[in-house]
């Protein structure tokens, strides 16, 4: 059918711009530099885009945790696949900032001082929800009790890690009932035994295996984001200190060793060649 021209909307109808609050959204980019430096727009928009995606990731993580606590491996897996796709985008997005020359950033950097990504409440929520809760990181919000409450709630509540262990127990893996945030040697051994059983025989409980691999992929993309971020930071500010008061690149490099699921990574070390995945292919998956 040929294009018949636009539909004419009444002013009281729902429109694209009203539904998405486009007018309000476009008011939110307020440069600190005056006159506004050309690149400050990019700097603001890229951070705002990250914050919007963090919001979506948190939304999906909460749902994923609920699914695991209800022992539903495949719905939890489905949530994670979306989170991973978003994270792939976020890893690449940081490189747009490399089109900003270091001297251009210097033109407006001091205007942002002492604001810093270190204060991103949503980034901390993602970490805490993944199982990387750390009271020390709450110190930066001393004068923001509402943010501290949010993080305390995340710290006390279920996480991807705790919900995963919950699901593993439901699938009859011998995961200890109580696990400390930093598991002691005995807890570690028991969890590693269970993970070894899962990874040695993926077909026995295939949904749990796929879920576990999605969790490790989530972890992998979080590390990749940290690595890409630190490289971009080094390329733009070299060895300067961060506006948040840290040593900058040195501090950020120290965070790249963080793992949400360290035992899922470690378990691979102890796998043996036998039996082979294909040899077990016809075994019934325990759904
Ligand atoms: C030119 C661009 C950027 C520079 C120079 C930069 C620099 C830094 C530095 C130096 C830190 C360490 C804390 C401090 O002392 O300030 C940091 C932390 C952080 N930045 Fe960036 N950053 C840039 C872009 C971004 C973008 C686009 C995001 C997206 C949200 C982001 C998110 C974060 C987060 C979440 C942290 C805390 C990391 C942690 O503590 O593990 N940064 N950034």
């Amino acid at each position: 059918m040929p294009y018949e021209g636009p539909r004419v909307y009444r002013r009281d109808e729902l429109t694209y711009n009203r539904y998405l609050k486009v007018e309000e959204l476009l008011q939110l980019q307020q440069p600190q530099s005056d006159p506004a430096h050309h690149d400050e727009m990019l700097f603001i928009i890229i951070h705002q885009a990250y914050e919007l995606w963090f919001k979506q990731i948190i939304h999906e993580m909460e749902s994923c945790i609920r699914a695991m606590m209800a022992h539903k491996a495949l719905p939890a897996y489905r949530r994670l696949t979306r989170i991973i796709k978003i994270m792939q985008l976020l890893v690449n997005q940081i490189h747009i900032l490399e089109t900003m020359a270091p001297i251009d950033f210097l033109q407006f950097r001091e205007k942002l001082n002492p604001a810093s990504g270190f204060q991103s409440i949503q980034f901390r929520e993602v970490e805490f929800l993944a199982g990387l809760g750390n009271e020390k990181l709450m110190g930066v919000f001393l004068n923001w009790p509402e943010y501290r409450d949010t993080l305390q709630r995340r710290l006390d509540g279920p996480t991807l890690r705790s919900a995963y262990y919950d699901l593993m127990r439901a699938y009859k893996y011998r995961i200890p009932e109580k696990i400390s945030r930093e598991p002691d040697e005995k807890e570690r051994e028991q969890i590693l035994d269970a993970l070894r059983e899962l990874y040695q025989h993926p077909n026995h409980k295939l949904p749990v295996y796929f879920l576990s691999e999605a969790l490790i992929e989530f972890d992998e993309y979080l590390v990749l984001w940290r690595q890409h971020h630190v490289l971009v930071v080094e390329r733009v500010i070299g060895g300067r200190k961060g506006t948040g008061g840290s040593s900058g690149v040195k501090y950020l490099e120290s965070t790249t060793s963080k793992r949400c699921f360290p035992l899922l990574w470690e378990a691979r070390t102890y796998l043996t060649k036998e039996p082979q995945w294909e040899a077990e292919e016809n075994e019934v998956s325990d759904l």
Side-chain angles (χ1 to χ4, degrees):
M1 254 205 3
Y3 177 58
E4 289 166 349
R7 175 189 191 281
V8 176
Y9 287 86
R10 292 193 318 273
R11 282 200 67 100
D12 62 345
E13 277 185 298
L14 185 64
T15 62
Y16 174 93
N17 293 312
R18 197 173 296 148
Y19 175 54
L20 297 172
K21 303 213 179 298
V22 175
E23 243 176 68
E24 290 90 329
L25 196 61
L26 300 184
Q27 291 303 313
L28 299 178
Q29 296 69 45
Q30 314 265 349
Q32 288 287 320
S33 53
D34 186 15
H37 187 278
H38 176 84
D39 283 2
E40 196 177 348
M41 174 82 97
L42 171 72
F43 194 78
I44 293 172
I45 286 184
I46 199 162
H47 282 85
Q48 288 181 339
Y50 268 104
E51 290 295 336
L52 282 176
W53 282 123
F54 289 159
K55 182 170 180 169
Q56 185 67 32
I57 289 175
I58 291 168
H59 182 61
E60 303 293 346
M61 285 174 91
E62 287 174 334
S63 169
C64 180
I65 289 170
R66 280 195 301 273
M68 285 199 277
M69 289 174 73
H71 312 146
K72 294 182 174 159
L74 289 177
Y77 167 77
R78 222 163 69 80
R79 292 285 176 248
L80 276 168
T81 56
R82 180 178 292 167
I83 296 174
I84 290 162
K85 290 267 187 221
I86 298 171
M87 290 174 86
Q88 289 169 347
L89 176 78
L90 297 190
V91 168
N92 285 316
Q93 190 168 296
I94 193 85
H95 293 287
I96 299 173
L97 280 167
E98 290 168 342
T99 61
M100 177 174 72
I103 50 166
D104 281 328
F105 187 42
L106 286 178
Q107 307 304 315
F108 62 92
R109 185 175 187 238
E110 63 196 31
K111 301 279 182 205
L112 317 174
N113 214 7
S116 159
F118 201 70
Q119 298 158 327
S120 167
I121 176 74
Q122 291 201 108
F123 181 78
R124 290 294 170 234
E125 282 189 81
V126 170
E127 282 193 324
F128 279 38
L129 271 171
L132 290 175
N134 177 350
E135 276 104 342
K136 277 197 206 140
L137 292 170
M138 291 161 64
V140 70
F141 300 119
L142 197 69
N143 293 320
W144 277 264
E146 63 279 28
Y147 287 175
R148 270 190 292 125
D149 286 352
T150 301
L151 291 181
Q152 192 63 51
R153 205 161 38 83
R154 301 297 189 195
L155 203 60
D156 298 338
T159 63
L160 283 184
R161 200 194 291 175
S162 71
Y164 173 63
Y165 289 148
D166 216 54
L167 179 136
M168 290 278 287
R169 279 186 213 103
Y171 274 80
K172 307 274 181 283
Y173 287 100
R174 290 164 73 186
I175 300 282
E177 271 313 309
K178 283 249 169 289
I179 307 173
S180 342
R181 205 178 304 143
E182 292 300 329
D184 61 29
E185 206 40 42
K186 194 165 163 230
E187 291 168 338
R188 252 176 50 80
E189 283 304 320
Q190 284 174 311
I191 299 168
L192 278 171
D193 277 349
L195 292 175
R196 205 157 39 208
E197 192 192 329
L198 169 67
Y199 272 82
Q200 199 69 57
H201 307 283
N203 279 316
H204 285 187
K205 288 174 182 160
L206 208 47
V208 185
Y209 175 74
F210 284 145
L211 175 67
S212 310
E213 283 295 272
L215 285 171
I216 211 155
E217 204 166 336
F218 166 90
D219 213 358
E220 184 177 350
Y221 276 99
L222 195 53
V223 175
L224 282 171
W225 183 80
R226 295 183 201 278
Q227 291 174 341
H228 283 241
H229 171 254
V230 67
L231 283 173
V232 172
V233 172
E234 187 169 8
R235 188 163 161 184
V236 178
I237 64 165
R240 285 171 192 263
K241 276 178 171 250
T243 45
S246 81
S247 55
V249 167
K250 261 213 178 92
Y251 159 71
L252 291 170
E253 276 172 346
S254 75
T255 66
T256 60
S257 60
K258 284 191 186 183
R259 295 290 181 277
C260 308
F261 308 103
L263 298 180
L264 265 175
W265 292 91
E266 189 180 340
R268 285 142 221 274
T269 321
Y270 312 114
L271 300 181
T272 63
K273 276 199 309 188
E274 306 295 339
Q276 291 179 26
W277 167 285
E278 287 84 0
E280 295 196 338
E281 205 129 83
N282 292 328
E283 288 190 23
V284 180
S285 176
D286 188 1
L287 268 171

